[in-house]
Amino acid sequence: MRFTLKDYQADAVGDTLRELASARDFYRSASKRVSSVALASVTGSGKTIMAAAVIEALFWGSDDFDVVPDPKAVVLWFSDDPSLNQQTRHRLQQASDRLRNRLITVEHPFRHSKLQPGNVYFVNTSKLSRNSLLVRGHDGADALPGMDSHPDTVPFTFWDTLRNTIEDPNLTLYMVLDEAHRGMGRRSSSDTPTIVKRLINGHSGVPPIPIVWGISATVQRFEEAMAAAQVKENRVHLSTIEVDTVRIQESGLLKDDIVLDFPAESGDFNTVLLRRGVRKVKAMSAAWSEYAAAQNELDPVNPLLVLQVPNKPSPTEMAAAIDAIYEEWPELGHEAIAHVFGEHKAQAFGPYSVPYISPERVQDASYIRVLLAKDAISTGWDCPRAEVMVSFRPAKDETHITQLLGRMIRTPLARRVEGDDLLNSVECILPKFNKATASLVLEKIMGSEVLDGESDTGKRVLIDPLLMTPNPAVPDEVWELFSDLPTETLPRKHANPIKRLTSLAHALAADRLVPDAGQFAHERLHGVMNGLAAQYPKELGKAQKDVLTVAGGTVRGHHGLRSDDTWTEEADDRAIQEAYRHGARNITPDIARTYIDHLAKDADDEDILRDAHVRVAALAMLPQTRPKLDETADALSAEWLDKHRVSIKGLSESRQSLYAEITAMSTDPQLVSMALPKNRQEETKRFLGDATQLLERRPLHLLSDEEGMFPVGKLNPDEIEVLDTETARGDLLAWYRNPTGGRDSMSLAYQDRHGDWRTLRPDFLFFIDTTEGVKGSIIDPHGAWLPDSLAKLRGMARFARSYGDRFHRIESISRVDGHLRVLDFTLSTVRAAALNASDADLLYREIATPYV
């Protein structure tokens, strides 16, 4: 893989591979049962990258996921549109060097009687429709008169090829049903559901596809496609792997904010708001250039302005629009404007000739700064550097606007720019929309796959926000304390301590903090293995004997009597290598390889190398080996992270983000530092019909407008009361409304009722001046009646037990019988009661005190 998988992607790939292995075993058993597996993940989460990792593991195996290669595997990728297949093929090529020459678009004439293992074949609806040359003559009932024979002397159709592939016991066909793209099972044409039905269920002598792997933005999409195919009862759905939307947002792969602009009055404002969009993309360009300079990066992001036009744009109006673009941006080069219209050729608009560019090339063609598009842009490709969109489409096209945003929500750096709302946002300017229609867009977005309907993903849709910047009234001591506050990472389900240590060693060596970190780490782990060999000689000897012999059994029947015998044979080199490969997967291939070098250093004797491989295989079989290696790896990682904490904070943001990600590669919450917030976009107005109401404001927030104020109109009444109460105490230096994502957000981990780790982000941080200097407090108003309350209170108690001495107060507040009551987690009795409680409301009634 050319990309490093995010933690949620790695988990999804591992889970998918396990389900596909079960599906394969299911099909190869005596029952020959066919099955389906689904992967559901929201738009922009990297489904194609996950698919590439899965396919690589199917073809070549994977040590990371403990998967052996399937030499019989062949993949058929199906969607409803050839351009979508082309774009998917391009993304798979970008993701995987190993797949580059194995991605085959099925075209006529297709002269293979069987699909070949180790290849991915792309086919679409039109290729299998009854008029296609690929299938003509397969079914006379479907053929048009006079067109019922095989064309061009090809003695078989593609349906014949599928039948031969499925019936070959040396092949296993996996079909990717990419129904997340447009129209799968829902088009007005009768061909699409019929073809999907034929593929999944089989027809006219063609058996059903053995394994259907659905890749979708939502579970519902896959279920709709399978329902449209009228799947027969003999296909068993094994599992749906749903990627947690919260974890996707935590990864920083998706932009945090969607900003909507629209005219406040009726009229033709196309050109006016297009100019506004140009100014915004120029401002984004300047911001990215400034960020790149501050981070010593040579190639800043070149943000893109997408201009969405009607399906039949007026050449005169388009020429006027391009005039406006150049008037507002005179330094823009004439090669910087392109289009992705379906005509696939240059378009003339007055004096301008605008060239065509294929959608999948837009992201890498950084010289293009303005892209003209119709509705086709809304499907099948991503452009992370698309930061501003202006739509000339009418108000009724809110669905197209919503879909388009799904193409623009990927972050350009594949990570969040910590503390910078401006660089973590996408702007949508809608000249033909009024406030009412913009509200409909907002509702569609909030309920669509773009946000997946989640309320706690960290995503916001903002209308006409104002940029808040660091408040000059806040003392420097507050900012210094803020950057030192402890915050926790979200534990990873399938964390690997050895790989975490290896990643950390590479990073420390690259930053010259520990020049020989990789060698040192491996030597430390080699010492562990030497120690285990010395501590468990008998167990190791038995394991080595097991590696060097192959055991079996014989069953004899004589005159109705049964006798069982056992036998052993000496293992040959192939059997020893297989045992070594299995052991290497257990202790990781890198450690196995370097330990071989350690055991057989400077040895030319083949017997010494053979003995070293046997020793590694045997050590990996000992139950003590992997736990001890993990324990040592965790200890060394913790030692390095603590020792170089200050040095890491002095590195560029991209490197700090890398270390934060490495730190989080653990099954337990890990302590990290807060990142300073640079700016935040906040709405300052509320729209009530045609009226506009200014939101309430309060002083002393860390980020503020030019008057030192921060809008609080979106806080609920309990939050407002808490804020005003804390302010009235008279010792407040600053406060912070904790955001719902990013490293500039205070976070602590807690386990939900299913035992899964979640992130709690308390509502407020307050900073006061004490005799011991500036101190921070966590204050979290959270209703005791909410279903997650008890789990969050337990998380607060656990966090306070570990880090309570770093804060002035750690408190949770809820309204009980009309009055606010508070749980003070700096008290051991409160912590103990929370950890043992069975009901949050009862806990407040019995232990909490009045909040005054």
Side-chain angles (χ1 to χ4, degrees):
M1 286 290 293
R2 296 177 62 187
F3 301 117
T4 300
L5 296 175
K6 298 287 187 180
D7 65 292
Y8 72 85
Q9 293 173 332
D11 287 349
V13 168
D15 292 342
T16 300
L17 285 167
R18 281 185 283 277
E19 294 302 328
L20 290 178
S22 297
R24 180 183 64 239
D25 294 341
F26 209 37
Y27 181 69
R28 290 178 181 172
S29 67
S31 65
K32 298 284 286 185
R33 292 292 296 274
V34 295
S35 59
S36 64
V37 175
L39 171 64
S41 189
V42 299
T43 299
S45 57
K47 290 188 289 293
T48 308
I49 292 175
M50 290 185 262
V54 169
I55 294 170
E56 268 198 4
L58 283 178
F59 290 171
W60 293 284
S62 171
D63 295 318
D64 290 342
F65 300 106
D66 194 18
V67 171
V68 296
D70 180 4
K72 300 180 180 181
V74 56
V75 175
L76 181 70
W77 192 291
F78 181 85
S79 78
D80 83 320
D81 189 297
S83 64
L84 300 182
N85 274 349
Q86 182 180 351
Q87 291 158 21
T88 300
R89 183 174 180 271
H90 176 74
R91 291 204 296 270
L92 288 174
Q93 286 177 331
Q94 288 180 317
S96 171
D97 286 329
R98 303 177 82 177
L99 289 175
R100 183 174 295 274
N101 297 320
R102 295 174 176 267
L103 307 174
I104 301 167
T105 300
V106 175
E107 301 282 2
H108 174 76
F110 191 79
R111 301 182 182 279
H112 299 281
S113 60
K114 298 177 185 176
L115 302 180
Q116 301 301 304
N119 290 327
V120 181
Y121 295 88
F122 292 89
V123 68
N124 58 78
T125 304
S126 61
K127 296 288 180 64
L128 300 182
S129 64
R130 63 179 183 173
N131 297 331
S132 169
L133 294 175
L134 277 169
V135 299
R136 186 192 300 169
H138 171 72
D139 188 343
D142 274 348
L144 295 177
M147 301 178 66
D148 53 357
S149 62
H150 298 137
D152 299 337
T153 68
V154 178
F156 44 79
T157 70
F158 190 71
W159 288 115
D160 297 324
T161 299
L162 286 180
R163 182 187 66 244
N164 296 337
T165 302
I166 295 169
E167 291 179 344
D168 189 334
N170 294 315
L171 295 173
T172 302
L173 181 60
Y174 302 79
M175 185 179 82
V176 178
L177 181 59
D178 195 2
E179 93 296 342
H181 292 309
R182 62 183 182 188
M184 183 61 61
R186 294 169 294 172
R187 299 179 74 175
S188 58
S189 166
S190 62
D191 265 345
T192 300
T194 302
I195 289 170
V196 172
K197 179 180 178 180
R198 289 179 174 186
L199 285 166
I200 294 176
N201 292 338
H203 83 291
S204 300
V206 180
I209 297 287
I211 300 168
V212 175
W213 174 25
I215 299 179
S216 175
T218 65
V219 178
Q220 290 76 17
R221 284 275 182 91
F222 181 72
E223 290 174 347
E224 288 172 8
M226 297 296 277
Q230 300 174 14
V231 176
K232 293 181 179 177
E233 293 180 357
N234 64 346
R235 183 174 295 277
V236 179
H237 183 66
L238 296 182
S239 180
T240 295
I241 295 93
E242 293 188 66
V243 182
D244 190 340
T245 311
V246 176
R247 293 183 67 192
I248 296 171
Q249 194 61 39
E250 289 276 358
S251 74
L253 194 62
L254 304 184
K255 291 168 183 168
D256 290 331
D257 296 338
I258 299 171
V259 179
L260 301 183
D261 280 359
F262 54 87
E265 53 191 272
S266 59
D268 187 355
F269 301 108
N270 279 9
T271 305
V272 172
L273 292 186
L274 176 57
R275 291 177 183 273
R276 177 178 174 84
V278 173
R279 289 194 296 272
K280 282 181 176 288
V281 80
K282 289 176 67 177
M284 296 293 290
S285 299
W288 277 115
S289 295
E290 182 180 338
Y291 173 80
Q295 301 296 321
N296 295 317
E297 295 181 2
L298 298 178
D299 298 317
V301 172
N302 287 327
L304 179 76
L305 168 65
V306 178
L307 175 57
Q308 192 181 35
V309 301
N311 287 341
K312 296 181 179 179
S314 164
T316 303
E317 290 183 4
M318 292 302 302
I322 296 174
D323 281 340
I325 292 171
Y326 280 118
E327 288 169 8
E328 196 68 44
W329 201 350
E331 64 272 25
L332 188 68
H334 286 281
E335 76 285 353
I337 301 180
H339 76 84
V340 287
F341 296 171
E343 289 80 0
H344 290 204
K345 61 182 180 180
Q347 298 290 298
F349 302 121
Y352 304 105
S353 177
V354 180
Y356 169 79
I357 183 171
S358 58
E360 68 271 12
R361 290 188 53 233
V362 174
Q363 172 63 20
D364 296 329
S366 59
Y367 61 91
I368 293 175
R369 307 303 303 279
V370 178
L371 185 69
L372 310 181
K374 299 179 184 178
D375 59 354
I377 194 175
S378 64
T379 312
W381 64 287
D382 297 312
C383 188
R385 68 183 184 92
E387 306 260 59
V388 180
M389 187 265 283
V390 179
S391 178
F392 284 177
R393 297 186 72 92
K396 65 181 180 181
D397 276 355
E398 63 265 16
T399 299
H400 284 303
I401 305 299
T402 305
Q403 291 174 335
L404 172 57
L405 287 170
R407 304 298 108 212
M408 302 173 64
I409 61 175
R410 291 279 292 275
T411 50
L413 302 178
R415 62 175 173 82
R416 179 181 288 105
V417 178
E418 296 300 342
D420 195 323
D421 273 8
L422 184 63
L423 297 185
N424 293 324
S425 65
V426 56
E427 304 227 13
C428 180
I429 300 176
L430 311 172
K432 294 186 177 293
F433 282 54
N434 55 27
K435 288 192 291 289
T437 312
S439 297
L440 290 177
V441 172
L442 187 148
E443 291 174 8
K444 281 181 175 288
I445 293 171
M446 295 302 291
S448 76
E449 66 186 45
V450 177
L451 300 185
D452 200 39
E454 294 284 349
S455 60
D456 58 351
T457 64
K459 277 197 173 298
R460 301 181 299 167
V461 179
L462 306 173
I463 297 179
D464 195 18
L466 186 66
L467 191 68
M468 306 285 151
T469 55
N471 190 341
V474 174
D476 291 343
E477 293 84 356
V478 170
W479 292 104
E480 292 171 4
L481 175 62
F482 185 94
S483 63
D484 283 333
L485 289 177
T487 184
E488 288 185 323
T489 62
L490 185 68
R492 308 291 167 85
K493 183 168 60 173
H494 300 301
N496 184 323
I498 298 176
K499 290 178 183 175
R500 178 182 183 229
L501 175 62
T502 301
S503 298
L504 178 60
H506 288 164
L508 291 169
D511 292 319
R512 300 181 181 179
L513 297 177
V514 184
D516 299 317
Q519 179 180 344
F520 183 87
H522 280 228
E523 288 176 352
R524 177 73 66 89
L525 296 180
H526 296 165
V528 170
M529 296 176 75
N530 288 336
L532 289 168
Q535 187 175 0
Y536 301 101
K538 291 183 179 179
E539 292 86 345
L540 179 61
K542 182 178 183 303
Q544 287 176 319
K545 182 179 179 181
D546 289 341
V547 173
L548 290 170
T549 57
V550 177
T554 302
V555 177
R556 292 187 177 88
H558 183 67
H559 296 301
L561 299 176
R562 170 177 167 168
S563 62
D564 297 338
D565 292 324
T566 60
W567 52 264
T568 59
E569 295 284 348
E570 183 178 346
D572 59 12
D573 287 344
R574 178 175 294 184
I576 292 172
Q577 282 301 311
E578 179 59 31
Y580 167 76
R581 282 192 291 269
H582 181 78
R585 285 196 296 270
N586 184 36
I587 64 174
T588 76
D590 279 348
I591 299 301
R593 175 181 53 78
T594 57
Y595 190 57
I596 290 288
D597 295 339
H598 165 72
L599 293 175
K601 186 177 182 181
D602 301 326
D604 294 328
D605 192 332
E606 290 293 330
D607 288 339
I608 295 178
L609 281 173
R610 184 175 186 269
D611 291 344
H613 282 80
V614 171
R615 186 183 181 93
V616 170
L619 276 169
M621 294 168 64
L622 298 183
Q624 300 89 350
T625 299
R626 184 56 192 262
K628 189 63 177 178
L629 288 174
D630 286 348
E631 177 188 336
T632 304
D634 274 335
L636 183 55
S637 294
E639 176 187 331
W640 274 343
L641 287 168
D642 183 61
K643 181 178 180 180
H644 300 287
R645 179 181 62 87
V646 176
S647 298
I648 290 171
K649 292 183 71 171
L651 299 174
S652 68
E653 184 188 288
S654 62
R655 299 301 294 175
Q656 289 187 57
S657 295
L658 173 62
Y659 283 102
E661 189 169 331
I662 292 171
T663 302
M665 294 168 59
S666 171
T667 54
D668 297 313
Q670 298 294 304
L671 185 66
V672 293
S673 298
M674 299 271 282
L676 292 177
K678 303 179 182 68
N679 58 58
R680 186 182 299 179
Q681 298 189 102
E682 290 289 341
E683 291 180 338
T684 59
K685 294 172 285 189
R686 178 185 290 114
F687 300 98
L688 303 172
D690 293 331
T692 300
Q693 179 185 16
L694 292 178
L695 298 178
E696 288 187 55
R697 302 186 299 169
R698 295 290 189 275
L700 295 181
H701 191 271
L702 290 184
L703 302 171
S704 68
D705 60 20
E706 293 179 352
E707 298 176 355
M709 306 294 282
F710 186 84
V712 297
K714 289 195 170 183
L715 301 184
N716 65 43
D718 288 356
E719 292 167 343
I720 290 288
E721 183 173 339
V722 167
L723 175 57
D724 289 343
T725 300
E726 296 298 325
T727 303
R729 298 188 194 280
D731 55 359
L732 185 66
L733 295 175
W735 65 282
Y736 186 62
R737 171 61 171 176
N738 201 34
T740 54
R743 288 199 300 115
D744 59 329
S745 172
M746 165 64 65
S747 62
L748 44 127
Y750 73 96
Q751 287 180 288
D752 64 16
R753 62 181 182 275
H754 304 296
D756 295 328
W757 285 100
R758 299 290 181 182
T759 298
L760 163 61
R761 301 187 187 274
D763 285 335
F764 294 115
L765 295 177
F766 291 99
F767 299 89
I768 64 169
D769 194 8
T770 72
T771 56
E772 300 176 356
V774 177
K775 290 285 188 178
S777 296
I778 296 175
I779 310 294
D780 186 37
H782 188 76
W785 59 88
L786 296 171
D788 61 355
S789 292
L790 182 59
K792 287 185 174 180
L793 292 175
R794 289 172 176 168
M796 290 272 279
R798 182 196 58 78
F799 182 84
R801 184 176 57 194
S802 299
Y803 310 111
D805 59 341
R806 307 268 299 265
F807 294 88
H808 181 61
R809 294 154 56 200
I810 300 178
E811 298 177 352
S812 186
I813 298 170
S814 179
R815 189 171 295 278
V816 180
D817 296 334
H819 301 282
L820 292 181
R821 296 180 67 81
V822 59
L823 292 170
D824 181 357
F825 287 105
T826 62
L827 302 176
S828 59
T829 53
V830 173
R831 295 196 298 269
L835 292 171
N836 294 311
S838 58
D839 181 78
D841 182 72
L842 186 61
L843 178 67
Y844 272 101
R845 293 179 183 277
E846 293 181 348
I847 302 295
T849 58
Y851 175 70
V852 292

